[in-house]
Every structure is written in structure tokens, then in C-alpha cells.
């Protein structure tokens, strides 16, 4: 679906008119393509006195080949030049801020560097989760970071994003840093992400791709020799993994299946029998498997568990994407419209989880697709909003239980995404939905898929219990 306003706004004549009239200015976002560098320029890492994470971040980025700018030289350059050297990202370690008067260090840093970001630049602030702080004043200072980060996301412009990452002392940071710095996070902004201790005992290493399933038994793998761990292949982090994606025939579900396959997974694409033709085409395209199944059928959980057990013996990544809408205001909604939406979007997922979670090994990933409507609600979608809020509840309830088994559970909450469904919206509502976010545009299905791939990555073992909005920092429900 073409966003004609965005196309005009990025033309020579459109840029001048948009600036003169103060209209929304949707910048063309930097999105990931295989082989792209992690960043498009140098990264500046600085810290409040006593910050514990800056040395770790500098080491990780240096090993990843990211050029780092010296903080002292960058501060001098920013203060002395009308056009300071441009940076791809600003990372500030605020874990040393243990009282509100120490937040001045963040002002000093971002005030000096506010004009240095390249288009589609990245801002990341690292902190300590308030509930994990040693003293009340520290907790207050760390909670204050949320207001700063969300304001930066709305101020810096030109496609830039800003995130707050609360990290435990032993949090595995690299997977999350790579996601947030890269073009994969193009439509994610203003988010608060918590990274705890690793929940998986399995090392974050790659495995050879799973063999194609045979008629005589499950797929087999060749495990590396004991003690011979391989470094993570960041282009194929899911090599050797088996991933299930429901509602995969089209739209966001198809994008999820493609991205997980791109990252090396053997993808089982599941959808209803009526979607059999596009489902088969997708499975052939990604060299995966097509499974026709109505997730609301009484025997669906047992049939799915049997399929996974017989063909693969396990499932490493489960993405519950299947969902429907049946929109009416609550007073006009029929019982069938209520029941069908709750059944597909929530109840069936609970029943399927009961049947297949035992097939998720340590290091497994359970990923749910919620919605901004599950956070903010929406007129005419009480059934849909209820189901998607329930999905968030599912994540919160299961996170501690599954962590004990080395399995993570997270959710994405998409905002306005350009799909055939949103293309059918009335034009005024569609245009308003596109512009009511900090990036002044709709997202793409791949933006949701990239966020799910980050959750699914072996290196994301400390990321659990999170609900991340893929909404361009929507003004609704923020």
C-alpha cells in the first residue's frame, strides 16, 4: 500500500512545503537488508559517574567492528562547531545516577549531542530497573529516565528512535544492542525494555541447520563436539532451530515466517485450510512446511503437538500470530462476534500452549502478537482489545514459570501497520493513524517480524516478560 503523502513529503517540492507549513515529515526509514553494516557511522558511548555498563558496551561494539567516537573529543567538537561530526548512535549509561540531582549528567550529554545524529539515528539509554534499585532515591532517578527517553524520541526527528534498556548486572546485552542499533528496529521507538539474567542454561551458539524431515522419523542434527562452541552467526542466528508461526499465510504472519527463515530457522507455517493455496506458496518460497489447521478446533492442540513431536521431536520457537477482528460497538456486538474473536486470539493460544510447551527445550522462545488496542482499547473493538490485553496477561503470568525451564516469553504490540486490512480503512482514519506517531508514518509487516526475530534469537536469553510496541512511538496508548 503506497503512502502518497510520505512520497510527496520526501520529494524536493514536498520537503519545502512540509517545512514551511509545519506538517508531519515522515522520513524514509533505514531498514535492514542482509549484509548491511550494523550502523552507518560512529557511535558515541558515555556514562554517568559510576556507570557499570559503558565498558561492557564499548567492548561488545568494538568486537562487532563498530567505530566508536571518543566522548571527550565529541563533547569538544559539539561545543565548538556549528556542524559537529555526525553520529549513527548515542548510548548513555545512566546506571550511575543514584539520585535525581545526578540526572543533570544526561542533560549535559544530550544537550551537547542533540544535533549530531545522522538520519535514522539511534539513542539508547541504559539503566537499572527501579524495582531492582538499592535505595528509594536511586529508584526515583531511574524511573525518571522513561520521561527523558520518550521525549527524545519525539524531539530528535529525521527517523531517529530512542529506547530505554533496564539491564541486570549480568544481562546479556549484545543481541538487544544489535537489534536497537540496526535497521531492524526502524519502527520501534520510545520503548522500555528489561533484560534480566540469562534464563537459558544453553550457550548462545549456532547449530547446523536441521535436516529435512523424513518419512521414517524426526529431523536429526549434528551437534558440535563437547566443549567446541561456535560463535553466534548474527546473520543466521536461528540456524538449526524449528519455528512455528500461526496465521502465516499472509500479511504480518507471512513476514514473520520469511524473516525467521532468513535467519536460518526451519519454519512450520500454519493457517486455516481455506488459506491453503497462499500457505503452500509461502512454504515453498521459504523451504519450510505448510500445516493446515484451524487453531480453534477441539482437537487442534493434540494434532499440532503430535505433528511437532513426530516430525521434529521439539519446537524451538513458537509465534502465536493468528488473529481475527469482528468489529462492532459493544451494544451492537453479537455473542458470536465476541466468542469468535476471544477464541482465535486468546483462548485457542492458551489451549495450544498447554499441549506444546513441553516440546519447547531450554533456550526455547514463546512469542505472542498482541496489539496497541490491547493497551489503549479502541471504540468498536471491545472484543479484540480484550483478547489482546489477555495476551499481555499471558506473557506476564508465564514469564516466571517458563524462566525456571530456560524458556522466554515476550509479546509485540503492533500499532498501525501497512497491510491489506488497514488498506480498507476509511481514508481519514487511515491517514490519522499513519501520522499519530513520532515517525509520522505507518509501519511495515517486516517491522513486526524483525522484532519477533530479536525475541527469538539465542542471544536474547535475558529478554523475557516484555511487551514491546512496534508503533513508531504512537501518541495513543503511550
Amino acid at each position: 500500500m503506497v503512502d502518497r503523502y510520505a512520497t510527496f513529503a520526501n520529494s524536493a517540492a514536498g520537503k519545502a512545503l512540509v517545512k514551511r507549513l509545519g506538517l508531519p515529515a515522515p522520513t524514509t526509514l533505514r531498514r535492514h537488508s542482509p549484509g548491511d553494516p550494523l550502523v552507518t557511522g560512529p557511535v558515541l558511548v558515555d556514562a554517568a559517574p559510576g556507570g557499570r555498563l559503558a565498558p561492557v558496551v564499548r567492548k561488545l561494539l568494538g568486537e562487532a567492528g563498530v567505530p566508536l567516537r571518543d566522548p571527550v573529543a565529541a563533547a569538544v567538537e559539539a561545543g565548538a562547531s556549528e556542524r559537529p561530526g555526525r553520529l549513527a548512535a548515542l548510548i548513555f549509561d545512566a546506571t550511575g545516577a543514584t539520585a535525581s540531582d545526578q540526572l543533570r549528567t544526561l542533560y549535559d550529554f544530550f544537550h551537547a549531542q542533540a544535533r549530531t545524529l545522522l538520519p535514522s539515528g539511534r539513542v539508547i539509554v541504559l539503566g537499572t530497573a527501579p524495582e531492582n534499585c538499592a535505595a528509594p532515591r536511586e529508584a526515583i532517578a531511574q524511573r525518571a529516565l522513561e520521561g527523558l527517553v520518550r521525549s527524545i524520541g519525539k524531539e530528535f526527528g529525521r527517523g531517529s528512535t530512542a529506547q530505554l534498556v533496564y539491564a541486570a548486572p549480568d544481562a546479556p546485552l549484545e543481541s538487544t544492542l544489535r537489534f536497537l542499533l540496526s535497521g531492524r528496529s526502524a519502527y520501534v521507538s520510545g520503548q522500555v525494555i528489561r533484560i534480566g539474567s540469562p534464563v537459558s542454561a544453553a550457550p548462545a551458539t549456532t547449530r547446523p541447520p536441521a535436516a529435512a524431515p523424513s518419512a521414517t522419523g524426526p529431523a536429526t542434527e549434528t551437534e558440535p563436539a563437547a566443549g567446541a562452541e561456535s560463535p553466534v552467526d548474527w546473520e543466521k542466528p536461528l540456524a538449526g532451530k524449528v519455528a512455528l508461526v500461526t496465521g502465516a499465510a499472509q500479511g504480518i504472519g507471512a513476514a514473520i515466517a520469511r524473516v525467521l527463515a532468513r535467519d536460518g530457522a526451519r519454519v512450520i507455517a500454519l493457517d486455516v485450510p481455506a488459506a491453503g493455496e497462499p500457505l503452500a506458496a509461502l512454504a515453498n518460497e521459504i523451504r519450510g512446511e505448510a500445516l493446515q489447521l484451524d487453531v480453534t478446533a477441539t482437537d487442534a492442540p493434540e494434532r499440532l503437538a503430535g505433528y511437532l513431536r513426530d516430525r521434529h521431536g521439539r519446537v524451538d520457537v513458537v509465534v502465536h500470530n493468528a488473529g481475527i477482528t469482528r468489529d462492532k460497538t459493544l451494544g451492537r456486538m453479537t455473542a458470536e462476534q465476541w466468542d469468535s474473536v476471544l477464541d482465535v486470539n486468546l483462548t485457542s493460544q492458551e489451549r495450544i500452549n498447554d499441549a506444546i510447551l513441553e516440546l519447547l527445550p531450554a533456550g526455547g522462545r514463546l512469542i505472542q502478537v498482541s496489539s496497541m488496542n490491547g493497551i489503549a482499547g479502541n471504540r468498536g473493538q471491545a472484543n479484540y482489545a480484550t483478547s489482546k490485553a489477555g495476551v499481555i496477561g499471558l506473557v506476564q503470568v508465564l514469564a516466571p514459570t517458563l524462566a525456571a525451564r530456560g524458556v522466554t516469553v515476550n509479546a509485540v504490540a503492533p500499532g498501525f501497520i501497512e497491510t491489506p486490512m488497514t488498506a480498507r480503512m476509511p481514508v481519514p482514519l487511515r491517514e490519522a493513524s499513519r501520522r499519530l506517531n513520532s515517525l509520522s508514518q505507518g509501519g511495515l509487516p517486516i517491522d513486526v517480524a524483525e522484532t519477533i526475530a530479536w525475541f527469538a534469537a539465542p542471544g536474547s536469553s535475558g529478554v523475557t516478560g516484555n511487551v514491546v510496541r512496534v508503533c513508531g512511538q504512537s501518541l495513543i496508548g503511550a
Side-chain angles (χ1 to χ4, degrees), residues 3 5-6 22-29 31 150-162 185-191 372 413-418 422 425 428-444 447 469-478:
D3 184 343
Y5 173 82
L23 297 173
T27 301
T28 300
L29 303 180
R31 289 186 167 90
R150 289 186 168 128
S151 297
I152 288 173
K154 295 176 180 180
E155 286 185 6
F156 280 19
R158 299 197 305 162
S160 62
T161 64
S185 60
Y187 202 61
V188 177
S189 189
Q191 297 306 287
M372 284 293 296
F416 181 87
I417 304 296
E418 304 279 0
T422 55
M425 293 171 62
L429 179 58
R430 185 170 68 235
E431 282 303 305
S433 299
R434 283 170 168 162
R435 309 307 161 210
L436 288 177
N437 61 74
S438 298
L439 299 175
S440 300
Q441 59 194 286
L444 302 180
D447 297 323
R469 293 179 287 125
V470 186
C471 63
Q473 198 180 12
S474 174
L475 305 183
I476 299 173

Side-chain angles (χ1 to χ4, degrees), residues 38-60:
L38 188 58
V39 291
T40 57
V43 174
L44 177 59
V45 181
D46 207 345
R52 58 182 168 80
L53 294 175
V56 176
V57 171
R58 290 192 186 102
K59 182 175 184 292
L60 288 173

Side-chain angles (χ1 to χ4, degrees), residues 145-478:
L145 299 176
E146 293 192 29
L148 172 68
V149 168
R150 289 186 168 128
S151 297
I152 288 173
K154 295 176 180 180
E155 286 185 6
F156 280 19
R158 299 197 305 162
S160 62
T161 64
Q163 327 289 349
L164 173 59
V165 177
Y166 286 134
D170 59 343
L173 292 173
E174 187 169 8
S175 177
T176 298
L177 287 176
R178 282 177 170 269
F179 171 67
L180 296 178
L181 289 172
S182 73
R184 300 173 193 265
S185 60
Y187 202 61
V188 177
S189 189
Q191 297 306 287
V192 179
I193 295 162
R194 282 172 164 78
I195 312 178
S197 303
V199 302
S200 172
T205 58
T206 59
R207 294 180 286 176
S214 68
T216 58
T220 59
E221 298 177 351
T222 303
E223 294 288 352
E229 296 182 5
S230 302
V232 173
D233 178 354
W234 292 106
E235 287 298 315
K236 295 287 184 183
L238 298 179
K241 303 291 187 182
V242 177
L244 169 70
V245 181
T246 70
Q250 60 183 346
I252 291 173
I256 296 167
R258 290 187 179 101
V259 168
L260 297 185
R262 179 204 68 190
D263 285 359
R266 174 79 177 187
V267 177
I268 302 161
L270 182 153
D271 217 314
V272 293
E277 187 173 340
L279 187 68
L282 173 71
N284 289 334
E285 174 193 335
I286 63 175
R287 298 184 179 182
E289 303 169 35
L291 177 59
Q292 297 182 23
L293 183 68
D294 180 353
V295 294
T296 65
T298 303
D299 62 347
E302 291 72 26
R303 288 174 58 191
L304 178 55
Y307 179 94
L308 295 171
R309 188 179 297 110
D310 295 344
R311 297 291 295 267
H312 299 282
R314 71 184 198 284
V315 60
D316 301 293
V317 179
V318 175
V319 183
H320 283 295
N321 169 72
I324 62 171
T325 58
R326 297 290 185 269
D327 297 352
K328 287 286 185 183
T329 56
L330 196 57
R332 297 178 181 273
M333 186 180 297
T334 67
E336 189 278 330
Q337 289 169 326
W338 175 274
D339 291 342
S340 61
V341 169
L342 268 292
D343 196 10
V344 173
N345 297 2
L346 181 59
T347 307
S348 68
Q349 296 180 17
E350 295 176 283
R351 294 171 56 236
I352 286 172
N353 285 343
D354 289 343
I356 70 172
L357 284 182
E358 66 179 22
L359 298 174
L360 274 168
R365 304 286 187 258
L366 178 63
I367 304 166
Q368 307 284 144
V369 177
S370 182
S371 168
M372 284 293 296
N373 289 342
I375 297 170
N378 194 30
R379 186 180 187 277
Q381 289 193 313
N383 49 1
Y384 185 76
T386 300
S387 68
K388 293 302 186 179
V391 165
I392 294 171
L394 184 153
V395 169
Q396 294 169 337
V397 167
L398 287 182
T401 303
L402 294 182
R405 293 179 39 204
V407 174
T408 67
V409 55
N410 296 281
V412 293
F416 181 87
I417 304 296
E418 304 279 0
T419 66
M421 182 178 71
T422 55
R424 294 192 293 270
M425 293 171 62
V427 173
L429 179 58
R430 185 170 68 235
E431 282 303 305
S433 299
R434 283 170 168 162
R435 309 307 161 210
L436 288 177
N437 61 74
S438 298
L439 299 175
S440 300
Q441 59 194 286
L444 302 180
I446 195 169
D447 297 323
V448 181
E450 295 282 19
T451 307
I452 286 172
W454 158 55
F455 283 148
S460 298
S461 59
V463 181
T464 194
N466 285 265
V467 179
V468 172
R469 293 179 287 125
V470 186
C471 63
Q473 198 180 12
S474 174
L475 305 183
I476 299 173

